[in-house]
Amino acid sequence: MKVVDYDVARDLWYLPVDLNDAAILAQRGMRPAESDPRTHQQVVYAVAMSVIERFERFGGFRFRWRGDDKLRIVPHAFEGRNAYFDKDRRAVLFGYFRSDSRDPGPNLPGQMMFTCLSVDVIAHEVTHAIVQRMRPYFSEPTHPDVLAWHEAIADLVALFNHFSFPEVVTDAVATSQGTLEEGSALLDLAIEFGQSTGRGAALRSAIGSPRTPDAFLKAVEPHDRGSCFVAAVFDAFIDTYKSQIADLRRIASAGTGVLPPGALPTDLVKRVTAAAAANADRLLEMVLRAFAYLPVVDVTFGDVVRAIVTADHGLYPDDDGQLRAVLVEAFRRRGIYPPGVTSLADEALLWPKPPVDLDLSGETYGIDLAPLFLAATLDLDPVSTVPFADDLDTAPASRDAAPAPAVSGGTGRARLTSHPNGRRLRELIHGWGAEHAYELGLDKGAGKIEMVSAQALYLRGSDGQPRPIIVIQFAQRRDDLEDQRTDETGAQIPRRQRAAIRAGTTLIARVDGRVEFLVTKPLPLSDRTKLEDLSGDLKECALGFDKAGTERLGAIRDWMGDVEDMDALSAWTVEPATLRLSFARLHAGQDGA
C-alpha cells in the first residue's frame, strides 16, 4: 500500500511525508493541520493500516499488497463531494469540496473540506479495497445483495472502528447514561461530512430505524439495502451490550437498574466503556471471520448469515452469552435470513457437508499441505523471511482473462514457485479441483476451472487458541450461458463487455485435508450425457448441483433483466447495465461514501 498525493484538478504533486524521518518519529507523528497536505497523507495511511490490522487479527492471516498490485491511496484525487474505490486503478480516491453555503453545520460557509480527513470515509473506502482483494468477484453484481454486502461490510468496519478510540466511547457512555443510544458520535457514520454538505446530519446511522422487515423488503439501492444489514448487527450489539452491563447498572442503582440523574461515577464509566469495546470487537470478529466461509461469487445476505453461524459455531460451540442467537434473531426481525432453511437453529444454518466424501490428501493426489501452513505461519510473523513470499501473482481478476491458478498464505495470491514444492503444490490443488469438478458443483466440459486462491487461516477459538483451517476457492466462467447479443455491425460483443456468469465453490478443509464444508454457487451442466458413466452417488451429486444451478441461473437472468429495464441507457448501448454499477457511480449517487 502506498500514498500517492497528486491533485488532478490543480495538476500538482504534493510533497510526500516520510513517516520514518527522525524528527517526525520523535514527536510520534506530525501534528494534524488542515493546511498541510503531508498530515492528510499521514491520516489516510494510519487509518488504512488500522483497518488492515483488524482484518488480519480477526481473519487469521497477514494481509499484503505486493509489487505493482499495491493499493494506491490518493488523498487529493479530485474536486468533488465524493470518495470511492476504483478497482480498475487499484486506488482509493478522495475528493475535496467547499462546505454548503447555506447549511455548513459546524463549519464556515464555503470552507474547504477534505474527505481524506474523515476517519469514517477512509475506513469505508479501504474496506472496499480489501474486500475486492479477498473476493474479486463480489464487484460483479448478479443479485441485489452483492454490492449491498460491499456497502454493509464497509459501513460496519467504519462504525466499529469508533470503538478503538476510548475517549469517543467514554463520552458516548457518559452522555447517554450508559445506553449508547444517544451517543451519536459513536453510532453515526461520517457526521462531519454529512453536516458540511447541508444534510444537517450524519451520512448514515446504525440505529433509529424500526426493527421490522419493511425497509429491507423495499430496498433496492445497495447503500439502502446494506444499511438494513448494518442496523441488524447493531440491534444485536445494543441488546447484548445492555445485557452485559445490567449487573453494573443494578450495583450503581441500589438494585433498581435505574441510574440516578447526574454524572455517572468514573469507575462505572470505565467498566461500561470496556464492556462496549469488547462487545464491539466480538461482533466485528464474527462478521470478518465469516469471509472464509463465504461463496466465491453471487453472495447474498442469507449466505453471510450462514457463514457467520458456521464459523462461530466451530470456534464458540457453547455460544456463551447467546451472542450468536441474538444476532440471528436480529437479522430475522429485519427480514434477513437464508431461504430454504427449516429453522434458524444453528444446526439448520450451518453450511452443508459435502454430498460425497472429499479429501485433499487422499491416495490419488496425496497433496502435502505443509507448505501452505508454513507460508501462513511465517506470514504471521512480520519479521520472518518467508522463503516464497516475494514470488507473488498479484494480478487482479480480469473480465477477459482469469488469473493463473495460485496459492496463498495470506489474501494475496502467492505462486509459491520459488519454494521447492510450490509449483507442484499449485498444480496438484488445481488438478484436484478439476478432477473433482462435479463434486464441487462445477462442470468438467464448460470452460477453464480457475483456482482463485488457496490459503491456511488461523482462527481464534473461545479458549484463545488458534484453529487452523484450509480455504480454497474455485471459479468457472460460463461463456455459453452469457448474453450473446451483437453490436450494430452484427459482431458479437467482446467478452470484457459482457456480464460474466460464473459458478464458484469455497472449500473449507481441516488440517488433515478432509473437506468439512462446501459453499457452492453452481450453474446448469452443459452436457448431462457426460454423467452416464459416473457412479450412482456421484451422478446424483452432479444432478443435484445441476438442478440448483438451473434455479440460480434463472434468478440471475431475472434480476439482470430488471436492472436493464430500470436503466435509462439500456436502449442506447449494448453494454449490460450491471457493468455500469461501479463504486464511483454508486457513491456519486449518495453524495459521499
Side-chain angles (χ1 to χ4, degrees):
M1 184 179 69
K2 59 184 178 182
V3 178
V4 181
D5 206 356
Y6 176 63
D7 188 334
V8 175
R10 290 167 172 75
D11 190 20
L12 179 64
W13 285 93
Y14 293 110
L15 182 69
V17 62
D18 180 7
L19 296 178
N20 290 320
D21 181 85
I24 294 177
L25 288 173
Q27 59 181 333
R28 302 181 66 184
M30 299 181 67
R31 185 180 297 277
E34 288 189 5
S35 59
D36 189 344
R38 294 178 303 162
T39 67
H40 300 187
Q41 300 165 20
Q42 177 180 262
V43 168
V44 293
Y45 182 80
V47 176
M49 290 304 297
S50 71
V51 171
I52 291 173
E53 185 275 333
R54 287 197 156 199
F55 272 89
E56 290 182 334
R57 176 155 49 99
F58 297 143
F61 57 83
R62 284 190 64 80
F63 191 95
R64 291 172 178 148
W65 281 282
R66 299 180 186 273
D68 294 334
D69 196 46
K70 286 181 180 176
L71 178 68
R72 297 163 178 83
I73 298 182
V74 190
H76 309 99
F78 59 92
E79 190 168 1
R81 295 179 174 181
N82 202 358
Y84 60 91
F85 166 63
D86 188 319
K87 67 183 182 69
D88 296 322
R89 300 181 192 177
R90 297 191 297 278
V92 177
L93 308 173
F94 296 93
Y96 56 89
F97 60 95
R98 299 283 180 181
S99 63
D100 192 78
S101 58
R102 295 183 179 180
D103 185 11
N107 310 288
L108 292 174
Q111 178 180 338
M112 187 64 75
M113 307 297 298
F114 299 94
T115 59
C116 68
L117 294 182
S118 169
V119 173
D120 290 352
V121 173
I122 299 168
H124 179 101
E125 301 306 337
V126 170
T127 300
H128 278 311
I130 294 174
V131 173
Q132 174 67 21
R133 193 77 170 98
M134 295 171 66
R135 289 291 191 275
Y137 298 134
F138 281 8
S139 59
E140 295 180 349
T142 48
H143 186 278
D145 286 352
V146 176
L147 294 182
W149 167 240
H150 242 290
E151 298 300 334
I153 188 62
D155 276 1
L156 280 172
V157 170
L159 286 163
F160 278 124
N161 189 55
H162 295 174
F163 291 85
S164 63
F165 301 99
E167 65 279 5
V168 175
V169 184
T170 298
D171 181 68
V173 169
T175 57
S176 66
Q177 287 285 290
T179 67
L180 294 185
E181 290 168 292
E182 300 300 325
S184 60
L186 196 64
L187 303 178
D188 286 352
L189 186 73
I191 298 174
E192 70 286 356
F193 180 89
Q195 292 175 336
S196 66
T197 57
R199 294 171 179 265
L203 202 59
R204 288 183 288 279
S205 179
I207 60 173
S209 57
R211 298 191 184 191
T212 67
D214 297 345
F216 183 70
L217 294 175
K218 296 176 183 177
V220 175
E221 198 277 330
H223 291 86
D224 295 340
R225 198 167 177 86
S227 67
C228 297
F229 185 92
V230 173
V233 173
F234 273 88
D235 289 345
F237 169 78
I238 292 295
D239 290 347
T240 53
Y241 160 76
K242 287 181 176 179
S243 175
Q244 290 168 357
I245 66 168
D247 58 339
L248 296 176
R249 292 177 64 91
R250 286 193 297 271
I251 293 171
S253 61
T256 67
V258 179
L259 295 173
L264 297 179
T266 303
D267 290 341
L268 178 62
V269 171
K270 288 181 179 179
R271 290 282 302 276
V272 171
T273 296
N279 195 34
D281 269 3
R282 174 80 170 90
L283 269 168
L284 183 60
E285 181 180 27
M286 291 175 70
V287 176
L288 295 187
R289 192 177 51 214
F291 263 97
Y293 293 77
L294 288 180
V296 183
V297 297
D298 198 30
V299 66
T300 69
F301 284 137
D303 296 332
V304 178
V305 173
R306 299 192 73 172
I308 290 173
V309 171
T310 304
D312 198 70
H313 183 271
L315 299 169
Y316 292 79
D318 296 332
D319 193 20
D320 291 340
Q322 299 297 300
L323 183 56
R324 191 163 61 242
V326 171
L327 181 58
V328 169
E329 173 61 14
F331 284 134
R332 184 201 65 78
R333 294 183 66 178
R334 296 276 180 174
I336 301 172
Y337 48 84
V341 296
T342 56
S343 73
L344 294 181
D346 281 358
E347 291 72 19
L349 292 175
L350 295 176
W351 283 123
K353 300 291 183 179
V356 295
D357 289 338
L358 292 171
D359 188 352
L360 290 161
S361 304
E363 294 181 2
T364 304
Y365 279 83
I367 300 176
D368 179 12
L369 299 169
L372 206 60
F373 285 100
L374 175 62
T377 304
L378 292 178
D379 258 347
L380 291 174
D381 182 357
V383 299
S384 292
T385 302
V386 183
F388 39 81
D390 294 326
D391 188 12
L392 294 165
D393 177 6
T394 53
S398 163
R399 292 187 184 277
D400 257 342
V407 179
S408 170
T411 39
R413 292 186 286 273
R415 291 186 309 205
L416 297 177
T417 50
S418 60
H419 186 274
N421 299 323
R423 184 180 296 278
R424 180 60 177 161
L425 176 59
R426 181 189 66 184
E427 293 172 350
L428 283 172
I429 295 177
H430 183 264
W432 183 93
E435 178 66 24
H436 294 84
Y438 290 133
E439 297 98 309
L440 297 175
L442 305 174
D443 193 329
K444 285 189 177 182
K448 178 182 177 181
I449 294 175
E450 170 199 356
M451 192 174 75
V452 181
S453 72
Q455 61 188 131
L457 303 181
Y458 289 91
L459 303 179
R460 184 178 59 189
S462 57
D463 58 0
Q465 297 300 310
R467 300 288 195 277
I469 62 170
I470 299 168
V471 180
I472 302 175
Q473 300 177 58
F474 294 101
Q476 183 177 36
R477 182 165 180 176
R478 293 288 299 275
D479 297 273
D480 57 312
L481 300 177
E482 293 174 6
D483 190 347
Q484 304 296 322
R485 73 177 76 181
T486 57
D487 59 21
E488 62 276 3
T489 67
Q492 189 177 50
I493 62 174
R495 195 169 187 251
R496 66 178 179 276
Q497 295 180 11
R498 301 201 305 260
I501 301 293
R502 302 183 198 271
T505 295
T506 298
L507 174 156
I508 297 97
R510 302 184 315 200
V511 176
D512 62 2
R514 298 286 297 182
V515 178
E516 279 198 294
F517 300 105
L518 285 183
V519 185
T520 59
K521 291 288 180 173
L523 287 168
L525 294 172
S526 57
D527 185 359
R528 294 182 182 85
T529 61
K530 293 184 177 181
L531 304 181
E532 298 292 336
D533 298 330
L534 298 182
S535 65
D537 290 344
L538 182 53
K539 183 176 181 179
E540 183 179 351
C541 170
L543 288 174
F545 282 132
D546 175 70
K547 179 180 178 181
T550 301
E551 295 175 358
R552 175 175 171 251
L553 179 63
I556 290 174
R557 286 176 170 169
D558 288 345
W559 182 75
M560 286 184 171
D562 291 341
V563 174
E564 292 286 339
D565 292 341
M566 292 186 291
D567 184 67
L569 295 178
S570 292
W572 305 96
T573 177
V574 296
E575 181 186 38
T578 53
L579 294 191
R580 292 192 289 276
L581 293 175
S582 67
F583 293 115
R585 287 170 177 161
L586 288 174
H587 285 190
Q590 289 285 308
D591 199 18

